[in-house]
């Protein structure tokens, strides 16, 4: 068997920007060990696998180390592959995932994704976490249900940009991925994401983190539509809109390569 493989740069309008994701459409699910092995071989922050399911698509996401419950940039990349390469003609794509049914639709030259908006609760920051980050955190919050990442607010965009975490110490200090954030100088919010616990020291652009960020910043800034920039080395741009218990995330995507997987162990 041979399998098509696409690599898409998400949350950007230029190749080699944003966050790269691999997308592999399948006719039916391969064994989990093979899905994980493919993701490890691709060695990108996420590999997405798609399987047709009664008018929708099953969608699963794997880092090189683990399967995850939600991934924004690989969902955006998957929708881009369906619309641009596989002839998907309907207005909305439905993805069946571990985080429920997700919707993606065209939005001008880009795409808009409909994701869950987590309720957040204030949480304490340990001295070990601050030491691993190398900076003081103003305040922090965690999703109330199924927390996997922590929002940590800093006093400025410059402070977020200057962070140089000790990733091994960070993995030991907290079981959660860390979303470092602040108000932006020319965006409503800026962020970086550190996830050594799942094999990703720093993720270039993190859609799922912006679900938390939208829940965090919308009430603080007093508006539901927010501009966002993830200030990693590759840089990513998003628009985020809070609508009740949902977040609409908008961004662009660019195909970097197409190829074929010839052998799977």
């Amino acid at each position: 068997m041979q399998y098509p493989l696409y690599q898409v740069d998400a949350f950007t309008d230029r190749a080699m920007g944003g966050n790269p994701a691999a997308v592999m459409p399948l006719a039916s699910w391969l064994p989990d060990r093979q899905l994980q092995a493919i993701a490890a071989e691709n060695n990108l922050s996420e590999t997405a696998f798609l399987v047709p399911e009664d008018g929708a698509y099953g969608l699963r996401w794997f880092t090189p180390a683990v399967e995850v419950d939600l991934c924004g940039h690989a969902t955006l990349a998957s929708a881009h592959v369906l619309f641009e390469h596989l002839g998907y003609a309907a207005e909305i794509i439905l993805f069946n995932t571990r985080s429920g049914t997700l919707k993606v639709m065209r939005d001008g030259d880009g795409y808009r994704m409909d994701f869950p908006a987590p309720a957040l609760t204030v949480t304490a920051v340990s001295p070990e976490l601050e030491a691993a980050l190398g900076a003081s955190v103003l305040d922090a919050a965690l999703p109330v249900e199924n927390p996997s990442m922590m929002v940590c607010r800093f006093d400025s965009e410059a402070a977020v940009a200057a962070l140089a975490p000790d990733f091994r110490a960070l993995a030991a200090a907290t079981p959660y991925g860390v979303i470092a954030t602040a108000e932006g100088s020319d965006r409503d919010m800026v962020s970086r994401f550190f996830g050594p616990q799942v094999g990703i020291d720093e993720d270039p652009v993190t859609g799922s983190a912006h679900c938390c960020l939208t829940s965090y910043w919308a009430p603080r800034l007093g508006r539901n539509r927010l501009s966002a920039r993830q200030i990693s080395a590759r840089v990513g741009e998003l628009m985020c809109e809070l609508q009740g218990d949902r977040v609409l995330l908008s961004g662009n995507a660019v195909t970097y390569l197409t190829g074929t997987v010839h052998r799977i162990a």
Side-chain angles (χ1 to χ4, degrees):
M1 289 288 293
Q2 296 183 350
Y3 303 89
L5 182 70
Y6 303 83
Q7 186 171 321
V8 176
D9 294 331
F11 295 120
T12 184
D13 59 4
R14 61 181 180 86
M16 301 185 186
N19 200 354
V23 179
M24 182 180 283
L26 300 169
S28 60
W29 292 113
L30 298 172
D32 286 5
R33 64 172 182 80
Q34 289 187 324
L35 299 179
Q36 187 64 73
I38 294 165
E41 185 74 8
N42 290 336
N43 200 31
L44 296 171
S45 62
E46 300 286 348
T47 296
F49 299 94
L50 304 171
V51 170
E53 292 181 353
D54 298 325
Y57 288 88
L59 176 61
R60 296 171 69 182
W61 312 276
F62 288 77
T63 77
V66 298
E67 184 175 7
V68 297
D69 290 335
L70 183 64
C71 177
H73 84 278
T75 302
L76 185 65
S78 298
H80 176 77
V81 167
L82 286 167
F83 279 125
E84 295 299 321
H85 297 283
L86 300 182
Y88 188 85
E91 293 184 2
I92 298 174
I93 302 173
L94 300 179
F95 290 116
N96 299 323
T97 79
R98 285 166 57 160
S99 291
T101 299
L102 307 179
K103 299 178 184 178
V104 185
M105 60 212 77
R106 289 190 182 273
D107 184 18
D109 293 334
Y111 308 95
R112 183 168 69 251
M113 304 186 292
D114 183 335
F115 278 15
L120 302 178
T121 186
V122 174
T123 190
V125 175
S126 69
E128 292 79 10
L129 177 55
E130 289 190 318
L133 290 168
S136 298
V137 177
L138 296 181
D139 57 63
L142 280 171
V144 174
E145 297 183 4
N146 303 316
S148 62
M149 52 184 69
M150 176 192 298
V151 178
C152 292
R153 181 170 66 95
F154 294 83
D155 62 5
S156 68
E157 179 174 337
V160 174
L163 292 173
D166 178 334
F167 292 112
R168 305 292 75 78
L170 188 61
T174 178
Y176 308 116
V178 173
I179 311 165
T181 188
E183 288 191 59
S185 57
D186 63 351
R187 295 292 188 275
D188 291 315
M189 55 183 172
V190 298
S191 66
R192 292 170 68 189
F193 180 79
F194 309 120
Q197 302 85 351
V198 294
I200 305 167
D201 285 347
E202 180 166 4
D203 193 37
V205 195
T206 316
S208 55
H210 283 81
C211 297
C212 295
L213 287 166
T214 304
S215 292
Y216 180 89
W217 282 111
R220 285 165 174 77
L221 297 178
R223 53 187 178 274
N224 287 347
R225 185 168 171 80
L226 305 170
S227 58
R229 175 180 289 152
Q230 194 153 330
I231 53 173
S232 66
R234 293 177 64 103
V235 183
E237 302 281 355
L238 305 86
M239 290 299 300
C240 311
E241 185 173 349
L242 185 64
Q243 290 192 350
D245 62 353
R246 307 295 294 180
V247 173
L248 303 182
L249 301 178
S250 299
N252 294 79
V254 179
T255 302
Y256 171 67
L257 66 81
T258 64
T260 303
V261 175
H262 292 272
R263 294 179 179 84
I264 297 175

PDB file of all heavy atoms in Angstrom, residues 115-150:
ATOM      1  N   PHE A 115     -14.394  25.659  17.447  1.00  0.00           N
ATOM      2  CA  PHE A 115     -13.827  24.813  18.492  1.00  0.00           C
ATOM      3  C   PHE A 115     -14.516  25.077  19.833  1.00  0.00           C
ATOM      4  O   PHE A 115     -15.146  26.125  20.016  1.00  0.00           O
ATOM      5  CB  PHE A 115     -12.329  25.104  18.658  1.00  0.00           C
ATOM      6  CG  PHE A 115     -11.425  24.409  17.669  1.00  0.00           C
ATOM      7  CD1 PHE A 115     -11.913  23.832  16.513  1.00  0.00           C
ATOM      8  CD2 PHE A 115     -10.062  24.327  17.906  1.00  0.00           C
ATOM      9  CE1 PHE A 115     -11.088  23.195  15.611  1.00  0.00           C
ATOM     10  CE2 PHE A 115      -9.216  23.691  17.017  1.00  0.00           C
ATOM     11  CZ  PHE A 115      -9.733  23.121  15.859  1.00  0.00           C
ATOM     12  N   PRO A 116     -14.375  24.172  20.795  1.00  0.00           N
ATOM     13  CA  PRO A 116     -14.911  24.434  22.134  1.00  0.00           C
ATOM     14  C   PRO A 116     -14.116  25.522  22.852  1.00  0.00           C
ATOM     15  O   PRO A 116     -12.906  25.631  22.694  1.00  0.00           O
ATOM     16  CB  PRO A 116     -14.771  23.086  22.853  1.00  0.00           C
ATOM     17  CG  PRO A 116     -13.704  22.364  22.097  1.00  0.00           C
ATOM     18  CD  PRO A 116     -13.786  22.822  20.673  1.00  0.00           C
ATOM     19  N   ALA A 117     -14.833  26.342  23.648  1.00  0.00           N
ATOM     20  CA  ALA A 117     -14.206  27.380  24.471  1.00  0.00           C
ATOM     21  C   ALA A 117     -14.166  26.888  25.908  1.00  0.00           C
ATOM     22  O   ALA A 117     -15.205  26.792  26.562  1.00  0.00           O
ATOM     23  CB  ALA A 117     -14.991  28.683  24.382  1.00  0.00           C
ATOM     24  N   PRO A 118     -13.006  26.570  26.435  1.00  0.00           N
ATOM     25  CA  PRO A 118     -12.958  26.020  27.794  1.00  0.00           C
ATOM     26  C   PRO A 118     -13.227  27.077  28.860  1.00  0.00           C
ATOM     27  O   PRO A 118     -12.786  28.232  28.737  1.00  0.00           O
ATOM     28  CB  PRO A 118     -11.518  25.507  27.893  1.00  0.00           C
ATOM     29  CG  PRO A 118     -10.750  26.381  26.955  1.00  0.00           C
ATOM     30  CD  PRO A 118     -11.678  26.677  25.819  1.00  0.00           C
ATOM     31  N   ALA A 119     -13.971  26.690  29.887  1.00  0.00           N
ATOM     32  CA  ALA A 119     -14.062  27.531  31.078  1.00  0.00           C
ATOM     33  C   ALA A 119     -12.749  27.403  31.838  1.00  0.00           C
ATOM     34  O   ALA A 119     -12.172  26.315  31.939  1.00  0.00           O
ATOM     35  CB  ALA A 119     -15.225  27.077  31.948  1.00  0.00           C
ATOM     36  N   LEU A 120     -12.261  28.524  32.381  1.00  0.00           N
ATOM     37  CA  LEU A 120     -10.970  28.544  33.056  1.00  0.00           C
ATOM     38  C   LEU A 120     -11.136  28.832  34.539  1.00  0.00           C
ATOM     39  O   LEU A 120     -12.088  29.484  34.961  1.00  0.00           O
ATOM     40  CB  LEU A 120     -10.057  29.613  32.442  1.00  0.00           C
ATOM     41  CG  LEU A 120      -9.755  29.507  30.944  1.00  0.00           C
ATOM     42  CD1 LEU A 120      -8.880  30.663  30.513  1.00  0.00           C
ATOM     43  CD2 LEU A 120      -9.106  28.176  30.611  1.00  0.00           C
ATOM     44  N   THR A 121     -10.191  28.358  35.315  1.00  0.00           N
ATOM     45  CA  THR A 121     -10.144  28.658  36.740  1.00  0.00           C
ATOM     46  C   THR A 121      -8.739  29.097  37.115  1.00  0.00           C
ATOM     47  O   THR A 121      -7.752  28.608  36.540  1.00  0.00           O
ATOM     48  CB  THR A 121     -10.571  27.429  37.584  1.00  0.00           C
ATOM     49  OG1 THR A 121     -10.643  27.797  38.960  1.00  0.00           O
ATOM     50  CG2 THR A 121      -9.590  26.273  37.429  1.00  0.00           C
ATOM     51  N   VAL A 122      -8.650  30.018  38.067  1.00  0.00           N
ATOM     52  CA  VAL A 122      -7.352  30.519  38.520  1.00  0.00           C
ATOM     53  C   VAL A 122      -6.568  29.386  39.164  1.00  0.00           C
ATOM     54  O   VAL A 122      -7.140  28.540  39.878  1.00  0.00           O
ATOM     55  CB  VAL A 122      -7.537  31.679  39.514  1.00  0.00           C
ATOM     56  CG1 VAL A 122      -6.201  32.114  40.114  1.00  0.00           C
ATOM     57  CG2 VAL A 122      -8.213  32.851  38.825  1.00  0.00           C
ATOM     58  N   THR A 123      -5.275  29.349  38.935  1.00  0.00           N
ATOM     59  CA  THR A 123      -4.428  28.315  39.534  1.00  0.00           C
ATOM     60  C   THR A 123      -3.135  28.937  40.032  1.00  0.00           C
ATOM     61  O   THR A 123      -2.727  30.015  39.585  1.00  0.00           O
ATOM     62  CB  THR A 123      -4.127  27.198  38.509  1.00  0.00           C
ATOM     63  OG1 THR A 123      -3.504  26.095  39.164  1.00  0.00           O
ATOM     64  CG2 THR A 123      -3.207  27.690  37.403  1.00  0.00           C
ATOM     65  N   ALA A 124      -2.498  28.263  40.966  1.00  0.00           N
ATOM     66  CA  ALA A 124      -1.234  28.743  41.526  1.00  0.00           C
ATOM     67  C   ALA A 124      -0.079  28.361  40.615  1.00  0.00           C
ATOM     68  O   ALA A 124      -0.151  27.388  39.854  1.00  0.00           O
ATOM     69  CB  ALA A 124      -1.023  28.153  42.922  1.00  0.00           C
ATOM     70  N   VAL A 125       0.980  29.146  40.685  1.00  0.00           N
ATOM     71  CA  VAL A 125       2.211  28.871  39.935  1.00  0.00           C
ATOM     72  C   VAL A 125       3.304  28.531  40.937  1.00  0.00           C
ATOM     73  O   VAL A 125       3.577  29.302  41.860  1.00  0.00           O
ATOM     74  CB  VAL A 125       2.629  30.092  39.095  1.00  0.00           C
ATOM     75  CG1 VAL A 125       3.965  29.839  38.407  1.00  0.00           C
ATOM     76  CG2 VAL A 125       1.548  30.415  38.070  1.00  0.00           C
ATOM     77  N   SER A 126       3.937  27.383  40.770  1.00  0.00           N
ATOM     78  CA  SER A 126       4.958  26.940  41.721  1.00  0.00           C
ATOM     79  C   SER A 126       6.270  27.669  41.483  1.00  0.00           C
ATOM     80  O   SER A 126       6.562  28.112  40.361  1.00  0.00           O
ATOM     81  CB  SER A 126       5.182  25.435  41.589  1.00  0.00           C
ATOM     82  OG  SER A 126       5.815  25.144  40.352  1.00  0.00           O
ATOM     83  N   PRO A 127       7.085  27.777  42.512  1.00  0.00           N
ATOM     84  CA  PRO A 127       8.427  28.345  42.316  1.00  0.00           C
ATOM     85  C   PRO A 127       9.245  27.549  41.290  1.00  0.00           C
ATOM     86  O   PRO A 127      10.041  28.136  40.550  1.00  0.00           O
ATOM     87  CB  PRO A 127       9.054  28.261  43.715  1.00  0.00           C
ATOM     88  CG  PRO A 127       7.893  28.210  44.661  1.00  0.00           C
ATOM     89  CD  PRO A 127       6.811  27.480  43.924  1.00  0.00           C
ATOM     90  N   GLU A 128       9.048  26.249  41.244  1.00  0.00           N
ATOM     91  CA  GLU A 128       9.779  25.414  40.283  1.00  0.00           C
ATOM     92  C   GLU A 128       9.401  25.768  38.844  1.00  0.00           C
ATOM     93  O   GLU A 128      10.264  25.780  37.945  1.00  0.00           O
ATOM     94  CB  GLU A 128       9.505  23.939  40.544  1.00  0.00           C
ATOM     95  CG  GLU A 128      10.070  23.403  41.839  1.00  0.00           C
ATOM     96  CD  GLU A 128       9.229  23.758  43.063  1.00  0.00           C
ATOM     97  OE1 GLU A 128       8.084  24.267  42.894  1.00  0.00           O
ATOM     98  OE2 GLU A 128       9.713  23.530  44.191  1.00  0.00           O
ATOM     99  N   LEU A 129       8.111  26.075  38.615  1.00  0.00           N
ATOM    100  CA  LEU A 129       7.678  26.452  37.273  1.00  0.00           C
ATOM    101  C   LEU A 129       8.283  27.798  36.870  1.00  0.00           C
ATOM    102  O   LEU A 129       8.793  27.957  35.752  1.00  0.00           O
ATOM    103  CB  LEU A 129       6.154  26.513  37.205  1.00  0.00           C
ATOM    104  CG  LEU A 129       5.540  26.966  35.875  1.00  0.00           C
ATOM    105  CD1 LEU A 129       6.041  26.123  34.716  1.00  0.00           C
ATOM    106  CD2 LEU A 129       4.016  26.942  35.946  1.00  0.00           C
ATOM    107  N   GLU A 130       8.238  28.764  37.761  1.00  0.00           N
ATOM    108  CA  GLU A 130       8.829  30.068  37.449  1.00  0.00           C
ATOM    109  C   GLU A 130      10.332  29.946  37.219  1.00  0.00           C
ATOM    110  O   GLU A 130      10.891  30.602  36.321  1.00  0.00           O
ATOM    111  CB  GLU A 130       8.533  31.069  38.558  1.00  0.00           C
ATOM    112  CG  GLU A 130       7.075  31.512  38.601  1.00  0.00           C
ATOM    113  CD  GLU A 130       6.846  32.673  39.540  1.00  0.00           C
ATOM    114  OE1 GLU A 130       7.430  32.665  40.650  1.00  0.00           O
ATOM    115  OE2 GLU A 130       6.076  33.587  39.189  1.00  0.00           O
ATOM    116  N   ALA A 131      10.982  29.107  37.999  1.00  0.00           N
ATOM    117  CA  ALA A 131      12.423  28.912  37.807  1.00  0.00           C
ATOM    118  C   ALA A 131      12.705  28.287  36.448  1.00  0.00           C
ATOM    119  O   ALA A 131      13.659  28.674  35.763  1.00  0.00           O
ATOM    120  CB  ALA A 131      12.982  28.033  38.922  1.00  0.00           C
ATOM    121  N   ALA A 132      11.880  27.332  36.029  1.00  0.00           N
ATOM    122  CA  ALA A 132      12.072  26.690  34.728  1.00  0.00           C
ATOM    123  C   ALA A 132      11.829  27.666  33.582  1.00  0.00           C
ATOM    124  O   ALA A 132      12.508  27.611  32.547  1.00  0.00           O
ATOM    125  CB  ALA A 132      11.154  25.485  34.598  1.00  0.00           C
ATOM    126  N   LEU A 133      10.867  28.576  33.775  1.00  0.00           N
ATOM    127  CA  LEU A 133      10.591  29.578  32.758  1.00  0.00           C
ATOM    128  C   LEU A 133      11.619  30.705  32.787  1.00  0.00           C
ATOM    129  O   LEU A 133      11.825  31.392  31.778  1.00  0.00           O
ATOM    130  CB  LEU A 133       9.191  30.163  32.959  1.00  0.00           C
ATOM    131  CG  LEU A 133       8.021  29.226  32.659  1.00  0.00           C
ATOM    132  CD1 LEU A 133       6.712  29.818  33.169  1.00  0.00           C
ATOM    133  CD2 LEU A 133       7.922  28.957  31.153  1.00  0.00           C
ATOM    134  N   GLY A 134      12.218  30.923  33.950  1.00  0.00           N
ATOM    135  CA  GLY A 134      13.209  31.982  34.100  1.00  0.00           C
ATOM    136  C   GLY A 134      12.614  33.362  34.220  1.00  0.00           C
ATOM    137  O   GLY A 134      13.280  34.360  33.941  1.00  0.00           O
ATOM    138  N   ALA A 135      11.340  33.452  34.663  1.00  0.00           N
ATOM    139  CA  ALA A 135      10.666  34.742  34.803  1.00  0.00           C
ATOM    140  C   ALA A 135       9.466  34.587  35.728  1.00  0.00           C
ATOM    141  O   ALA A 135       8.953  33.474  35.918  1.00  0.00           O
ATOM    142  CB  ALA A 135      10.220  35.268  33.441  1.00  0.00           C
ATOM    143  N   SER A 136       9.016  35.696  36.289  1.00  0.00           N
ATOM    144  CA  SER A 136       7.857  35.698  37.184  1.00  0.00           C
ATOM    145  C   SER A 136       6.568  35.746  36.383  1.00  0.00           C
ATOM    146  O   SER A 136       6.459  36.484  35.390  1.00  0.00           O
ATOM    147  CB  SER A 136       7.913  36.899  38.121  1.00  0.00           C
ATOM    148  OG  SER A 136       9.054  36.840  38.949  1.00  0.00           O
ATOM    149  N   VAL A 137       5.587  34.963  36.828  1.00  0.00           N
ATOM    150  CA  VAL A 137       4.267  34.905  36.195  1.00  0.00           C
ATOM    151  C   VAL A 137       3.308  35.780  36.989  1.00  0.00           C
ATOM    152  O   VAL A 137       3.246  35.690  38.217  1.00  0.00           O
ATOM    153  CB  VAL A 137       3.754  33.450  36.155  1.00  0.00           C
ATOM    154  CG1 VAL A 137       2.356  33.390  35.565  1.00  0.00           C
ATOM    155  CG2 VAL A 137       4.717  32.562  35.369  1.00  0.00           C
ATOM    156  N   LEU A 138       2.556  36.659  36.301  1.00  0.00           N
ATOM    157  CA  LEU A 138       1.606  37.538  36.994  1.00  0.00           C
ATOM    158  C   LEU A 138       0.419  36.772  37.538  1.00  0.00           C
ATOM    159  O   LEU A 138      -0.017  36.989  38.666  1.00  0.00           O
ATOM    160  CB  LEU A 138       1.135  38.642  36.049  1.00  0.00           C
ATOM    161  CG  LEU A 138       2.188  39.628  35.557  1.00  0.00           C
ATOM    162  CD1 LEU A 138       1.552  40.664  34.641  1.00  0.00           C
ATOM    163  CD2 LEU A 138       2.882  40.310  36.731  1.00  0.00           C
ATOM    164  N   ASP A 139      -0.152  35.905  36.725  1.00  0.00           N
ATOM    165  CA  ASP A 139      -1.255  35.048  37.165  1.00  0.00           C
ATOM    166  C   ASP A 139      -1.382  33.910  36.176  1.00  0.00           C
ATOM    167  O   ASP A 139      -0.782  33.942  35.090  1.00  0.00           O
ATOM    168  CB  ASP A 139      -2.573  35.814  37.306  1.00  0.00           C
ATOM    169  CG  ASP A 139      -2.984  36.515  36.028  1.00  0.00           C
ATOM    170  OD1 ASP A 139      -3.235  35.833  35.022  1.00  0.00           O
ATOM    171  OD2 ASP A 139      -3.060  37.761  36.018  1.00  0.00           O
ATOM    172  N   ALA A 140      -2.157  32.904  36.552  1.00  0.00           N
ATOM    173  CA  ALA A 140      -2.270  31.704  35.718  1.00  0.00           C
ATOM    174  C   ALA A 140      -3.665  31.124  35.811  1.00  0.00           C
ATOM    175  O   ALA A 140      -4.391  31.358  36.794  1.00  0.00           O
ATOM    176  CB  ALA A 140      -1.229  30.666  36.125  1.00  0.00           C
ATOM    177  N   ALA A 141      -4.052  30.359  34.777  1.00  0.00           N
ATOM    178  CA  ALA A 141      -5.371  29.744  34.739  1.00  0.00           C
ATOM    179  C   ALA A 141      -5.286  28.403  34.027  1.00  0.00           C
ATOM    180  O   ALA A 141      -4.434  28.194  33.149  1.00  0.00           O
ATOM    181  CB  ALA A 141      -6.367  30.652  34.027  1.00  0.00           C
ATOM    182  N   LEU A 142      -6.194  27.504  34.418  1.00  0.00           N
ATOM    183  CA  LEU A 142      -6.306  26.176  33.817  1.00  0.00           C
ATOM    184  C   LEU A 142      -7.739  25.932  33.362  1.00  0.00           C
ATOM    185  O   LEU A 142      -8.690  26.430  33.983  1.00  0.00           O
ATOM    186  CB  LEU A 142      -5.956  25.095  34.842  1.00  0.00           C
ATOM    187  CG  LEU A 142      -4.499  24.777  35.137  1.00  0.00           C
ATOM    188  CD1 LEU A 142      -4.421  23.831  36.333  1.00  0.00           C
ATOM    189  CD2 LEU A 142      -3.823  24.154  33.921  1.00  0.00           C
ATOM    190  N   PRO A 143      -7.942  25.157  32.284  1.00  0.00           N
ATOM    191  CA  PRO A 143      -9.297  24.720  31.957  1.00  0.00           C
ATOM    192  C   PRO A 143      -9.907  23.923  33.109  1.00  0.00           C
ATOM    193  O   PRO A 143      -9.212  23.143  33.775  1.00  0.00           O
ATOM    194  CB  PRO A 143      -9.096  23.833  30.725  1.00  0.00           C
ATOM    195  CG  PRO A 143      -7.817  24.325  30.129  1.00  0.00           C
ATOM    196  CD  PRO A 143      -6.958  24.718  31.288  1.00  0.00           C
ATOM    197  N   VAL A 144     -11.185  24.136  33.347  1.00  0.00           N
ATOM    198  CA  VAL A 144     -11.875  23.434  34.435  1.00  0.00           C
ATOM    199  C   VAL A 144     -11.971  21.942  34.128  1.00  0.00           C
ATOM    200  O   VAL A 144     -11.790  21.102  35.013  1.00  0.00           O
ATOM    201  CB  VAL A 144     -13.278  24.047  34.653  1.00  0.00           C
ATOM    202  CG1 VAL A 144     -14.070  23.227  35.674  1.00  0.00           C
ATOM    203  CG2 VAL A 144     -13.166  25.500  35.097  1.00  0.00           C
ATOM    204  N   GLU A 145     -12.258  21.607  32.876  1.00  0.00           N
ATOM    205  CA  GLU A 145     -12.410  20.210  32.474  1.00  0.00           C
ATOM    206  C   GLU A 145     -11.224  19.769  31.625  1.00  0.00           C
ATOM    207  O   GLU A 145     -10.790  20.488  30.731  1.00  0.00           O
ATOM    208  CB  GLU A 145     -13.716  20.013  31.693  1.00  0.00           C
ATOM    209  CG  GLU A 145     -14.970  20.304  32.507  1.00  0.00           C
ATOM    210  CD  GLU A 145     -16.232  20.033  31.717  1.00  0.00           C
ATOM    211  OE1 GLU A 145     -16.118  19.551  30.562  1.00  0.00           O
ATOM    212  OE2 GLU A 145     -17.325  20.287  32.239  1.00  0.00           O
ATOM    213  N   ASN A 146     -10.719  18.602  31.929  1.00  0.00           N
ATOM    214  CA  ASN A 146      -9.643  17.979  31.145  1.00  0.00           C
ATOM    215  C   ASN A 146      -8.481  18.928  30.857  1.00  0.00           C
ATOM    216  O   ASN A 146      -8.111  19.148  29.695  1.00  0.00           O
ATOM    217  CB  ASN A 146     -10.200  17.431  29.825  1.00  0.00           C
ATOM    218  CG  ASN A 146     -11.318  16.447  30.022  1.00  0.00           C
ATOM    219  OD1 ASN A 146     -11.238  15.578  30.880  1.00  0.00           O
ATOM    220  ND2 ASN A 146     -12.385  16.585  29.232  1.00  0.00           N
ATOM    221  N   PRO A 147      -7.886  19.506  31.885  1.00  0.00           N
ATOM    222  CA  PRO A 147      -6.788  20.450  31.635  1.00  0.00           C
ATOM    223  C   PRO A 147      -5.562  19.752  31.065  1.00  0.00           C
ATOM    224  O   PRO A 147      -5.149  18.703  31.538  1.00  0.00           O
ATOM    225  CB  PRO A 147      -6.498  21.016  33.030  1.00  0.00           C
ATOM    226  CG  PRO A 147      -6.954  19.951  33.973  1.00  0.00           C
ATOM    227  CD  PRO A 147      -8.151  19.319  33.323  1.00  0.00           C
ATOM    228  N   SER A 148      -5.001  20.359  30.027  1.00  0.00           N
ATOM    229  CA  SER A 148      -3.747  19.871  29.465  1.00  0.00           C
ATOM    230  C   SER A 148      -2.746  20.993  29.265  1.00  0.00           C
ATOM    231  O   SER A 148      -1.568  20.730  29.020  1.00  0.00           O
ATOM    232  CB  SER A 148      -3.987  19.165  28.131  1.00  0.00           C
ATOM    233  OG  SER A 148      -4.533  20.055  27.180  1.00  0.00           O
ATOM    234  N   MET A 149      -3.211  22.250  29.366  1.00  0.00           N
ATOM    235  CA  MET A 149      -2.316  23.388  29.206  1.00  0.00           C
ATOM    236  C   MET A 149      -2.717  24.508  30.153  1.00  0.00           C
ATOM    237  O   MET A 149      -3.896  24.665  30.496  1.00  0.00           O
ATOM    238  CB  MET A 149      -2.285  23.864  27.750  1.00  0.00           C
ATOM    239  CG  MET A 149      -3.618  24.130  27.121  1.00  0.00           C
ATOM    240  SD  MET A 149      -3.462  24.574  25.344  1.00  0.00           S
ATOM    241  CE  MET A 149      -2.923  23.017  24.629  1.00  0.00           C
ATOM    242  N   MET A 150      -1.724  25.269  30.590  1.00  0.00           N
ATOM    243  CA  MET A 150      -1.895  26.332  31.562  1.00  0.00           C
ATOM    244  C   MET A 150      -1.581  27.677  30.913  1.00  0.00           C
ATOM    245  O   MET A 150      -0.563  27.824  30.242  1.00  0.00           O
ATOM    246  CB  MET A 150      -0.946  26.103  32.755  1.00  0.00           C
ATOM    247  CG  MET A 150      -0.953  27.216  33.802  1.00  0.00           C
ATOM    248  SD  MET A 150       0.425  27.051  34.992  1.00  0.00           S
ATOM    249  CE  MET A 150       0.032  25.467  35.742  1.00  0.00           C
TER     250      MET A 150
END
